[in-house]
Protein backbone atom coordinates (compact mmCIF):
# COMPACT_ATOMS: atom_id res chain seq x y z
CA UNK A 1 0.00 0.00 0.00
CA UNK A 2 2.87 2.35 0.81
CA UNK A 3 4.40 1.69 -2.61
CA UNK A 4 1.04 2.28 -4.23
CA UNK A 5 0.43 5.57 -2.46
CA UNK A 6 3.92 6.74 -3.36
CA UNK A 7 3.37 5.83 -6.99
CA UNK A 8 0.13 7.77 -7.08
CA UNK A 9 1.85 10.93 -5.93
CA UNK A 10 4.26 10.56 -8.85
CA UNK A 11 2.95 12.07 -12.08
CA UNK A 12 5.18 9.87 -14.23
CA UNK A 13 3.55 6.68 -13.03
CA UNK A 14 1.14 5.28 -15.59
CA UNK A 15 -1.67 2.75 -15.53
CA UNK A 16 0.65 -0.13 -16.32
CA UNK A 17 3.07 0.65 -13.49
CA UNK A 18 0.12 0.79 -11.15
CA UNK A 19 -1.19 -2.56 -12.34
CA UNK A 20 2.27 -4.06 -11.80
CA UNK A 21 2.48 -2.84 -8.22
CA UNK A 22 -0.96 -4.27 -7.45
CA UNK A 23 -0.18 -7.56 -9.17
CA UNK A 24 2.75 -8.08 -6.77
CA UNK A 25 0.28 -8.52 -3.95
CA UNK A 26 -1.99 -11.50 -4.65
CA UNK A 27 -4.64 -10.69 -2.09
CA UNK A 28 -4.80 -7.06 -3.23
CA UNK A 29 -5.18 -8.27 -6.83
CA UNK A 30 -7.99 -10.59 -5.80
CA UNK A 31 -9.80 -7.76 -4.07
CA UNK A 32 -9.44 -5.47 -7.06
CA UNK A 33 -10.94 -8.12 -9.33
CA UNK A 34 -13.72 -8.97 -6.89
CA UNK A 35 -14.75 -5.35 -6.48
CA UNK A 36 -14.40 -4.53 -10.19
CA UNK A 37 -16.75 -7.42 -10.95
CA UNK A 38 -19.19 -6.71 -8.13
CA UNK A 39 -22.60 -5.11 -8.45
CA UNK A 40 -20.96 -1.93 -7.17
CA UNK A 41 -19.60 -1.00 -10.62
CA UNK A 42 -22.07 -2.86 -12.81
CA UNK A 43 -19.52 -3.28 -15.61
CA UNK A 44 -21.02 -4.60 -18.84
CA UNK A 45 -18.69 -7.63 -18.78
CA UNK A 46 -16.35 -9.45 -16.39
CA UNK A 47 -12.74 -8.37 -16.07
CA UNK A 48 -10.16 -11.09 -15.52
CA UNK A 49 -6.88 -9.22 -15.07
CA UNK A 50 -5.67 -6.38 -12.90
CA UNK A 51 -4.49 -4.45 -16.00
CA UNK A 52 -7.98 -4.64 -17.44
CA UNK A 53 -9.55 -3.57 -14.16
CA UNK A 54 -7.20 -0.59 -13.90
CA UNK A 55 -8.04 0.43 -17.46
CA UNK A 56 -11.77 0.04 -16.98
CA UNK A 57 -12.08 1.79 -13.66
CA UNK A 58 -9.23 4.30 -13.82
CA UNK A 59 -6.45 5.09 -11.37
CA UNK A 60 -8.57 6.92 -8.85
CA UNK A 61 -11.14 4.19 -8.37
CA UNK A 62 -8.48 1.51 -8.18
CA UNK A 63 -6.58 3.47 -5.56
CA UNK A 64 -9.65 3.81 -3.43
CA UNK A 65 -10.34 0.08 -3.65
CA UNK A 66 -6.77 -0.71 -2.65
CA UNK A 67 -6.76 1.76 0.20
CA UNK A 68 -10.07 0.44 1.53
CA UNK A 69 -8.97 -3.19 1.40
CA UNK A 70 -5.41 -2.43 2.48
CA UNK A 71 -6.37 -0.36 5.49
CA UNK A 72 -8.77 -3.01 6.61
CA UNK A 73 -6.08 -5.65 6.38
CA UNK A 74 -3.28 -3.55 7.84
CA UNK A 75 -5.32 -2.48 10.82
CA UNK A 76 -6.87 -5.81 11.62
CA UNK A 77 -5.71 -6.97 15.05
CA UNK A 78 -5.78 -10.55 16.18
CA UNK A 79 -9.21 -11.67 17.37
CA UNK A 80 -8.30 -11.83 21.04
CA UNK A 81 -6.99 -8.29 21.33
CA UNK A 82 -9.85 -6.27 19.92
CA UNK A 83 -11.86 -4.13 22.31
CA UNK A 84 -15.01 -3.97 20.24
CA UNK A 85 -16.53 -6.05 17.46
CA UNK A 86 -14.62 -5.35 14.26
CA UNK A 87 -17.29 -7.08 12.22
CA UNK A 88 -19.85 -4.65 13.57
CA UNK A 89 -17.44 -1.79 13.02
CA UNK A 90 -16.97 -2.63 9.34
CA UNK A 91 -20.68 -3.23 8.90
CA UNK A 92 -21.27 0.30 10.15
CA UNK A 93 -18.52 1.63 7.87
CA UNK A 94 -19.84 -0.14 4.78
CA UNK A 95 -23.40 0.98 5.57
CA UNK A 96 -22.24 4.59 5.96
CA UNK A 97 -20.48 4.33 2.59
CA UNK A 98 -23.47 2.85 0.79
CA UNK A 99 -25.87 5.39 2.30
CA UNK A 100 -23.54 8.32 1.51
CA UNK A 101 -23.35 7.10 -2.07
CA UNK A 102 -27.14 6.92 -2.27
CA UNK A 103 -27.55 10.45 -0.88
CA UNK A 104 -24.98 11.84 -3.33
CA UNK A 105 -26.50 10.06 -6.26
CA UNK A 106 -30.07 11.07 -5.48
CA UNK A 107 -29.22 14.69 -4.77
CA UNK A 108 -26.52 14.93 -7.44
CA UNK A 109 -23.91 16.17 -4.96
CA UNK A 110 -20.26 15.50 -5.74
CA UNK A 111 -18.80 12.20 -6.89
CA UNK A 112 -20.86 9.35 -5.50
CA UNK A 113 -18.18 6.68 -5.72
CA UNK A 114 -15.81 8.84 -3.70
CA UNK A 115 -18.61 9.30 -1.18
CA UNK A 116 -18.67 5.55 -0.73
CA UNK A 117 -15.01 5.39 0.22
CA UNK A 118 -15.25 8.46 2.43
CA UNK A 119 -18.00 6.68 4.34
CA UNK A 120 -16.05 3.48 4.51
CA UNK A 121 -13.06 5.17 6.13
CA UNK A 122 -14.71 7.91 8.20
CA UNK A 123 -14.24 6.14 11.56
CA UNK A 124 -10.81 4.63 10.87
CA UNK A 125 -9.47 6.58 13.87
CA UNK A 126 -11.34 4.15 16.15
CA UNK A 127 -9.36 1.22 14.83
CA UNK A 128 -6.13 3.15 15.16
CA UNK A 129 -6.87 4.09 18.75
CA UNK A 130 -7.83 0.52 19.54
CA UNK A 131 -4.63 -0.73 18.00
CA UNK A 132 -2.19 1.79 19.43
CA UNK A 133 -3.83 2.91 22.67
CA UNK A 134 -5.45 -0.41 23.38
CA UNK A 135 -5.64 -0.44 27.19
CA UNK A 136 -7.10 3.00 27.55
CA UNK A 137 -9.45 2.43 24.63
CA UNK A 138 -10.92 -0.54 26.47
CA UNK A 139 -11.86 1.88 29.24
CA UNK A 140 -13.27 4.33 26.66
CA UNK A 141 -15.63 1.68 25.26
CA UNK A 142 -16.65 0.64 28.76
CA UNK A 143 -17.40 4.25 29.71
CA UNK A 144 -19.44 4.75 26.52
CA UNK A 145 -21.69 1.84 27.44
CA UNK A 146 -21.87 2.40 31.17
CA UNK A 147 -22.49 6.14 31.08
CA UNK A 148 -24.37 6.19 27.76
CA UNK A 149 -22.16 9.02 26.47
CA UNK A 150 -21.09 9.46 22.85
CA UNK A 151 -17.82 7.72 22.08
CA UNK A 152 -16.17 10.95 21.03
CA UNK A 153 -16.89 12.43 24.46
CA UNK A 154 -15.38 9.48 26.30
CA UNK A 155 -12.34 9.56 24.00
CA UNK A 156 -11.72 13.25 24.64
CA UNK A 157 -12.14 12.85 28.37
CA UNK A 158 -9.92 9.79 28.77
CA UNK A 159 -7.38 10.11 25.96
CA UNK A 160 -7.46 13.84 25.27
CA UNK A 161 -8.06 13.28 21.57
CA UNK A 162 -10.85 11.65 19.59
CA UNK A 163 -11.17 9.22 16.67
CA UNK A 164 -12.18 11.92 14.17
CA UNK A 165 -9.01 13.95 14.68
CA UNK A 166 -6.82 10.82 14.77
CA UNK A 167 -8.45 9.50 11.57
CA UNK A 168 -7.91 12.80 9.77
CA UNK A 169 -4.29 12.91 10.87
CA UNK A 170 -3.56 9.39 9.66
CA UNK A 171 -5.23 9.96 6.30
CA UNK A 172 -3.09 13.02 5.83
CA UNK A 173 -0.03 10.85 6.58
CA UNK A 174 -1.27 8.30 4.04
CA UNK A 175 -1.34 11.18 1.55
CA UNK A 176 -4.92 10.51 0.53
CA UNK A 177 -6.81 13.35 -1.19
CA UNK A 178 -7.66 16.11 1.27
CA UNK A 179 -11.39 15.33 1.24
CA UNK A 180 -10.65 11.97 2.95
CA UNK A 181 -8.87 13.64 5.83
CA UNK A 182 -11.61 16.27 6.06
CA UNK A 183 -14.45 13.72 6.05
CA UNK A 184 -12.78 11.86 8.91
CA UNK A 185 -11.70 14.91 10.87
CA UNK A 186 -14.95 16.86 10.69
CA UNK A 187 -17.72 14.27 10.55
CA UNK A 188 -18.64 15.19 14.14
CA UNK A 189 -18.00 18.94 13.68
CA UNK A 190 -19.13 19.80 10.16
CA UNK A 191 -19.04 23.57 10.48
CA UNK A 192 -15.31 23.54 11.20
CA UNK A 193 -14.53 21.92 7.85
CA UNK A 194 -13.22 24.03 4.96
CA UNK A 195 -16.12 25.30 2.90
CA UNK A 196 -15.07 23.59 -0.33
CA UNK A 197 -15.36 20.16 1.30
CA UNK A 198 -18.29 20.88 3.59
CA UNK A 199 -20.98 19.28 1.43
CA UNK A 200 -18.96 16.04 1.29
CA UNK A 201 -18.36 16.12 5.04
CA UNK A 202 -22.07 16.77 5.68
CA UNK A 203 -23.05 13.83 3.48
CA UNK A 204 -20.81 11.51 5.48
CA UNK A 205 -22.13 12.87 8.75
CA UNK A 206 -25.75 12.36 7.68
CA UNK A 207 -24.99 8.89 6.32
CA UNK A 208 -23.23 8.02 9.60
CA UNK A 209 -26.33 8.99 11.58
CA UNK A 210 -28.68 7.17 9.22
CA UNK A 211 -26.50 4.05 9.39
CA UNK A 212 -26.80 4.17 13.15
CA UNK A 213 -30.54 4.61 13.08
CA UNK A 214 -30.84 1.62 10.80
CA UNK A 215 -28.61 -0.20 13.25
CA UNK A 216 -26.65 -1.66 10.40
CA UNK A 217 -23.79 -1.82 12.77
CA UNK A 218 -22.01 -0.45 15.75
CA UNK A 219 -21.36 3.25 15.32
CA UNK A 220 -20.29 3.90 18.88
CA UNK A 221 -23.54 5.13 20.34
CA UNK A 222 -27.19 5.35 19.59
CA UNK A 223 -29.28 8.46 19.81
CA UNK A 224 -32.67 9.69 18.70
CA UNK A 225 -32.05 12.27 15.96
CA UNK A 226 -34.40 14.62 14.12
CA UNK A 227 -32.67 14.66 10.76
CA UNK A 228 -34.04 17.89 9.38
CA UNK A 229 -32.62 19.67 12.41
CA UNK A 230 -29.11 18.35 12.06
CA UNK A 231 -26.28 20.55 10.80
CA UNK A 232 -25.58 17.95 8.12
CA UNK A 233 -29.12 18.23 6.74
CA UNK A 234 -28.94 22.04 6.66
CA UNK A 235 -25.58 22.07 4.87
CA UNK A 236 -26.85 19.63 2.24
CA UNK A 237 -30.07 21.63 1.91
CA UNK A 238 -27.91 24.66 1.07
CA UNK A 239 -26.39 22.74 -1.84
CA UNK A 240 -29.56 21.05 -3.02
CA UNK A 241 -32.90 22.08 -1.44
CA UNK A 242 -34.46 18.89 -2.86
CA UNK A 243 -33.33 17.08 0.26
CA UNK A 244 -36.28 18.70 2.04
CA UNK A 245 -38.62 16.78 -0.29
CA UNK A 246 -37.11 13.45 0.64
CA UNK A 247 -39.19 11.57 3.14
CA UNK A 248 -36.37 10.54 5.44
CA UNK A 249 -38.34 7.65 6.96
CA UNK A 250 -39.12 6.33 3.54
CA UNK A 251 -35.49 6.81 2.57
CA UNK A 252 -34.31 4.87 5.61
CA UNK A 253 -36.92 2.22 4.94
CA UNK A 254 -35.78 1.90 1.34
CA UNK A 255 -32.28 1.16 2.56
CA UNK A 256 -33.48 -2.43 2.84
CA UNK A 257 -32.71 -2.52 -0.87
CA UNK A 258 -29.04 -1.70 -0.34
CA UNK A 259 -28.68 -4.44 2.24
CA UNK A 260 -27.51 -6.82 -0.48
CA UNK A 261 -24.89 -4.34 -1.57
CA UNK A 262 -23.73 -3.96 2.02
CA UNK A 263 -23.48 -7.71 2.43
CA UNK A 264 -21.56 -8.04 -0.84
CA UNK A 265 -19.00 -5.38 0.07
CA UNK A 266 -18.63 -6.85 3.53
CA UNK A 267 -17.81 -10.20 2.03
CA UNK A 268 -15.13 -8.70 -0.18
CA UNK A 269 -13.56 -6.58 2.54
CA UNK A 270 -13.90 -8.86 5.50
CA UNK A 271 -13.32 -12.20 3.78
FE1 LIG B 1 -17.29 8.91 14.17
FE1 LIG C 1 -19.49 6.47 12.27
Amino acid sequence: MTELLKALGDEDVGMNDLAKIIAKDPSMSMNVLKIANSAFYRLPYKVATVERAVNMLGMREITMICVACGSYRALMPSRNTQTFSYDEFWKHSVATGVIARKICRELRIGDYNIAYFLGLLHDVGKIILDRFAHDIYTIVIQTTFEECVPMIEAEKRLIGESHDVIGGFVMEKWKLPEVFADAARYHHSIMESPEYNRAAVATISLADQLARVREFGFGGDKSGVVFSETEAFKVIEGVNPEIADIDIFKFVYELEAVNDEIVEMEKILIA
Side-chain angles (χ1 to χ4, degrees):
M1 195 158 106
T2 325
E3 196 180 345
L4 195 69
L5 290 173
K6 222 171 96 195
L8 282 156
D10 182 349
E11 278 172 20
D12 298 329
V13 172
M15 298 271 214
N16 286 339
D17 304 308
L18 199 68
K20 269 185 207 143
I21 297 173
I22 296 167
K24 275 200 257 175
D25 180 338
S27 90
M28 185 91 86
S29 309
M30 271 303 286
N31 283 331
V32 166
L33 290 178
K34 275 197 230 164
I35 295 184
N37 288 313
S38 74
F40 190 71
Y41 287 111
R42 295 194 176 85
L43 293 180
Y45 49 84
K46 298 265 169 220
V47 290
T49 65
V50 173
E51 288 86 27
R52 194 85 197 101
V54 173
N55 278 307
M56 286 293 290
L57 300 177
M59 304 241 296
R60 207 193 50 197
E61 292 293 319
I62 292 288
T63 315
M64 291 193 293
I65 294 173
C66 292
V67 168
C69 299
S71 56
Y72 178 75
R73 224 168 20 146
L75 296 169
M76 193 67 184
S78 64
R79 289 266 152 197
N80 51 5
T81 58
Q82 50 186 257
T83 333
F84 53 89
S85 159
Y86 275 40
D87 286 352
E88 290 299 306
F89 171 83
W90 284 100
K91 267 185 200 166
H92 167 75
S93 302
V94 171
T96 305
V98 173
I99 296 168
R101 184 166 175 252
K102 189 170 155 73
I103 297 172
C104 281
R105 199 187 311 193
E106 275 182 27
L107 295 173
R108 300 173 307 280
I109 300 172
D111 181 316
Y112 55 80
N113 282 340
I114 289 202
Y116 172 78
F117 289 99
L118 296 178
L120 190 67
L121 294 173
H122 78 284
D123 272 337
V124 88
K126 288 183 186 174
I127 305 254
I128 292 165
L129 281 171
D130 185 48
R131 177 87 181 260
F132 297 101
H134 187 73
D135 293 347
I136 190 142
Y137 213 53
T138 314
I139 305 171
V140 168
I141 307 276
Q142 236 173 30
T143 308
T144 303
F145 279 114
E146 282 170 14
E147 296 180 21
C148 277
V149 290
M151 214 149 154
I152 185 166
E153 211 180 291
E155 288 166 349
K156 276 187 194 150
R157 191 180 347 140
L158 292 157
I159 301 176
E161 204 51 275
S162 48
H163 70 271
D164 43 352
V165 176
I166 306 281
F169 175 75
V170 168
M171 284 210 262
E172 229 167 62
K173 288 274 170 206
W174 285 349
K175 299 205 166 45
L176 292 183
E178 199 188 343
V179 66
F180 279 81
D182 284 348
R185 187 176 288 130
Y186 300 113
H187 73 273
H188 292 292
S189 53
I190 308 167
M191 299 319 277
E192 287 168 34
S193 65
E195 240 179 286
Y196 51 86
N197 278 336
R198 197 166 294 159
V201 173
T203 309
I204 300 308
S205 167
L206 188 63
D208 176 33
Q209 297 175 63
L210 286 169
R212 264 183 272 177
V213 164
R214 271 296 272 102
E215 290 191 300
F216 271 129
F218 173 70
D221 49 84
K222 296 180 183 86
S223 50
V225 191
V226 180
F227 290 102
S228 55
E229 280 168 20
T230 59
E231 270 177 353
F233 188 96
K234 285 175 189 155
V235 169
I236 297 171
E237 197 176 24
V239 181
N240 187 346
E242 280 174 34
I243 191 173
D245 303 332
I246 292 180
D247 178 342
I248 220 81
F249 289 103
K250 197 166 153 265
F251 184 88
V252 174
Y253 179 74
E254 279 170 6
L255 289 173
E256 294 291 348
V258 295
N259 250 339
D260 291 350
E261 201 172 327
I262 292 174
V263 171
E264 189 184 11
M265 287 306 282
E266 269 167 29
K267 272 194 212 135
I268 296 171
L269 284 171
I270 303 171

